[in-house]
């Protein structure tokens, strides 16, 4: 009976030690991710100043709107708009590990 109880205690202590190690690893990863996010935020503030802001990616409307029955659409004629040129403006995206591109 004593041997079974000691064996159970050893296994329990071993499992507890494994869980403790996993928790330490998870804690370290979370700390590094938080630190990286804070550094990136500080770097963006340094580069872009007061113009830094969070921009929502989707679902930006406050009220959902539905088209009216009286509304209509017309096909787009690409021949009319041949003068349109696409230009890409740089955003607030940093590339790499704390190295702006």
């Amino acid at each position: 009976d004593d041997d079974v109880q000691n064996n159970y205690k050893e296994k329990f202590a071993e499992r507890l030690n494994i869980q403790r190690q996993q928790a330490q690893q998870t804690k370290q990863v979370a700390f590094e991710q938080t630190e990286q996010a804070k550094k990136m935020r500080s770097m963006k503030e340094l580069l872009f100043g007061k113009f830094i802001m969070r921009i929502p990616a989707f679902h930006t409307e406050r009220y959902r709107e539905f088209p009216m029955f009286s509304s209509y659409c017309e096909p787009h004629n690409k021949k009319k708009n041949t003068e349109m040129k696409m230009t890409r403006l740089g955003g607030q995206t940093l590339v790499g590990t704390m190295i702006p591109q």
Side-chain angles (χ1 to χ4, degrees), residues 15-55:
R15 287 187 200 145
L16 189 63
N17 192 19
I18 291 171
Q19 285 181 347
R20 188 176 296 124
Q21 289 174 353
Q22 289 174 345
Q24 285 284 22
Q25 290 172 351
T26 304
K27 175 185 164 189
Q28 184 64 28
V29 168
F31 173 77
E32 289 172 0
Q33 288 175 346
T34 304
E35 186 177 18
Q36 186 77 6
K38 286 180 182 179
K39 287 179 181 178
M40 187 67 77
R41 175 92 177 162
S42 296
M43 184 64 108
K44 283 183 178 183
E45 285 177 358
L46 183 67
L47 290 174
F48 304 113
K50 66 179 182 176
F51 301 105
I52 185 171
M53 64 177 55
R54 182 171 293 204
I55 300 170

Side-chain angles (χ1 to χ4, degrees), residues 28-94:
Q28 184 64 28
V29 168
F31 173 77
E32 289 172 0
Q33 288 175 346
T34 304
E35 186 177 18
Q36 186 77 6
K38 286 180 182 179
K39 287 179 181 178
M40 187 67 77
R41 175 92 177 162
S42 296
M43 184 64 108
K44 283 183 178 183
E45 285 177 358
L46 183 67
L47 290 174
F48 304 113
K50 66 179 182 176
F51 301 105
I52 185 171
M53 64 177 55
R54 182 171 293 204
I55 300 170
F58 58 94
H59 299 298
T60 58
E61 67 275 357
R62 183 171 181 180
Y63 301 107
R64 191 157 186 201
E65 296 182 6
F66 297 100
M68 298 179 73
F69 289 112
S70 61
S71 67
Y72 65 95
C73 67
E74 294 178 357
H76 177 69
N77 189 356
K78 292 184 180 181
K79 293 179 183 176
K80 286 183 181 178
N81 299 329
T82 56
E83 299 173 13
M84 290 178 57
K85 294 183 181 178
M86 299 294 285
T87 57
R88 175 120 168 91
L89 300 175
Q92 296 181 355
T93 304
L94 296 179

